[in-house]
Amino acid sequence: MPSVPKTLHTRSGSQPCVQLASSFRIGVRLSACTLAALLSPCVLAAQAQSETVGRIEGDAIAVKGAVGVEVENGRSITLLASGSQVTVKSGQARVTLAEGGEIGICGPAHLSLLKSGNSVTVALDYGRVRAKLDRAVPLTVYTPLIVATPVAIGDAPRDATVGFEASGTMCVLASRGAVRLEQQLTGQVLLVPQAGEVALAEGQLDSLRETSGSCQCEVQLARAAPPGSKPTEISVPVSADLAKAVKPPEKTARPDPKEEMKPPVIEEPIYKVLMPALTFSAASPNPPPDPSPQVILLVRRVRVRPVTVYRGHVKAPPPPPPPPVLAATITPTPPPPAAPPPPAPPKPQLGLVARMKDFFRKLW
């Protein structure tokens, strides 16, 4: 009969079990390992249930690591635990967080949800998510190279959209509040202001460029009723006896129209602030100084009203009468007759001396 080895390692879960040479001790040790293997899923399930992230609903979704599934008003609601993986094959999905707020998912998308205390982390492999959160709910979106964190402005809520494609292209839209972007390898930090929309390629902040309208995720799913809500009441027709007992309401006198007239709305002045644009440099760790009040211009918009106000109607002048049309034809005027030529001037009569000179001139 072969001898029994002193130690034998058998894998049960993730811890080896040591068997001694004695058969009795071997059986006891195997029973303990089996019991530990059976109890470990229960312990993990209890831990997962204690860290419930929220509830997800959608049309074409697949969830790995869910706590359970509930049906409310004909819709399936899946409870998500910390570490659950969500795949949206097509269409849209909505995650209602247990701490308040929601995350919209536009497919195709794949992500993981983690929770530590009140902080929620979204590990986005691909797809597009839109987070609508209150100020008290910390949330961070991780992509392979960029970490996006919505930042609240004062006590206002946050609304941010983050999209990541398999090619490495990423888009960020800060609808309400700002979004802080950090490069995991270089440590560069960039702040996207409110109402800003940017896109970057291959996870490099140097390739950032401004876009408009390309990073959208509008979830149009009908909301399921929250747990413990009041059931829908169905009205019942009133019986004839009860209808006779109820008296119709008395008609009240119509108020005077003059009393219903409201005072005119007083126009408040409109102010406009002109100041230099806010700048940010990624090379400088400290924020830039605030602009000087001397370069800030406050402009009040007013409407000038004339001192004299004329009331009435201005009528257009009547059109001028058309010119009269002459029925008779106008005969042309004949040209005046030509003037006769002037008479030749009479020749002067020669004297006696002149005649004699003329006579002798003719002889020679």
Side-chain angles (χ1 to χ4, degrees):
M1 182 175 180
S3 59
V4 179
K6 294 184 180 180
T7 59
L8 179 63
H9 296 276
T10 304
R11 291 186 178 274
S12 176
S14 60
Q15 297 180 355
C17 298
V18 181
Q19 296 181 346
L20 301 179
S22 174
S23 59
F24 175 76
R25 292 183 179 180
I26 291 174
V28 173
R29 198 65 176 176
L30 288 175
S31 301
C33 292
T34 305
L35 181 60
L38 293 176
L39 290 179
S40 58
C42 300
V43 175
L44 293 178
Q47 294 177 355
Q49 290 180 1
S50 61
E51 294 292 336
T52 301
V53 178
R55 300 146 35 103
I56 185 172
E57 52 184 328
D59 298 329
I61 61 175
V63 181
K64 182 178 180 182
V67 177
V69 178
E70 300 177 356
V71 178
E72 296 179 2
N73 298 334
R75 298 181 62 88
S76 298
I77 307 298
T78 304
L79 301 180
L80 300 177
S82 179
S84 299
Q85 299 181 11
V86 179
T87 302
V88 180
K89 301 177 182 178
S90 62
Q92 301 171 343
R94 179 190 291 113
V95 178
T96 304
L97 301 177
E99 304 297 335
E102 65 178 33
I103 301 175
I105 308 173
C106 295
H110 181 269
L111 53 92
S112 301
L113 294 172
L114 303 173
K115 183 179 180 182
S116 176
N118 295 334
S119 302
V120 179
T121 303
V122 178
L124 181 63
D125 294 335
Y126 61 88
R128 194 169 294 178
V129 295
R130 180 177 182 180
K132 297 181 179 180
L133 308 167
D134 297 335
R135 184 179 180 276
V137 181
L139 184 135
T140 306
V141 180
Y142 277 82
T143 62
L145 293 176
I146 300 295
V147 181
T149 305
V151 180
I153 299 178
D155 295 335
R158 294 165 292 168
D159 187 352
T161 303
V162 178
F164 184 77
E165 299 180 1
S167 60
T169 304
M170 181 178 177
C171 69
V172 178
L173 172 61
S175 300
R176 300 189 66 179
V179 178
R180 181 178 182 271
L181 302 180
E182 180 180 359
Q183 224 283 347
Q184 301 188 47
L185 300 181
T186 62
Q188 286 182 298
V189 177
L190 180 67
L191 189 66
V192 180
Q194 182 170 305
E197 183 177 356
V198 297
L200 57 154
E202 298 179 358
Q204 300 297 327
L205 297 181
D206 299 338
S207 63
L208 183 141
R209 68 181 190 278
E210 294 185 2
T211 58
S212 177
S214 61
C215 193
Q216 300 290 335
C217 181
E218 296 290 341
V219 179
Q220 303 295 337
L221 296 176
R223 295 178 178 273
S229 59
K230 186 177 180 180
T232 305
E233 297 181 358
I234 302 176
S235 59
V236 180
V238 182
S239 60
D241 298 337
L242 185 59
K244 293 180 180 179
V246 177
K247 295 182 180 180
E250 297 180 357
K251 295 183 180 181
T252 58
R254 188 174 182 179
D256 190 0
K258 296 182 179 180
E259 297 180 359
E260 295 182 356
M261 295 178 61
K262 297 181 179 179
V265 180
I266 301 175
E267 298 182 359
E268 297 182 357
I270 300 176
Y271 294 92
K272 185 177 182 181
V273 180
L274 302 178
M275 60 182 296
L278 300 179
T279 59
F280 175 79
S281 176
S284 177
N286 299 325
D290 296 335
S292 175
Q294 300 177 357
V295 299
I296 299 177
L297 181 62
L298 182 64
V299 180
R300 178 181 177 182
R301 185 183 302 175
V302 295
R303 184 177 61 183
V304 180
R305 295 181 179 180
V307 179
T308 306
V309 179
Y310 298 93
R311 297 180 180 179
H313 300 279
V314 179
K315 296 182 179 180
V325 179
L326 300 178
T329 58
I330 302 174
T331 58
T333 305
K347 295 181 179 181
Q349 295 181 3
L350 300 177
L352 178 61
V353 179
R355 289 179 183 179
M356 290 177 66
K357 289 181 180 180
D358 186 23
F359 174 77
F360 285 110
R361 189 183 296 113
K362 291 180 180 181
L363 289 180
W364 284 285

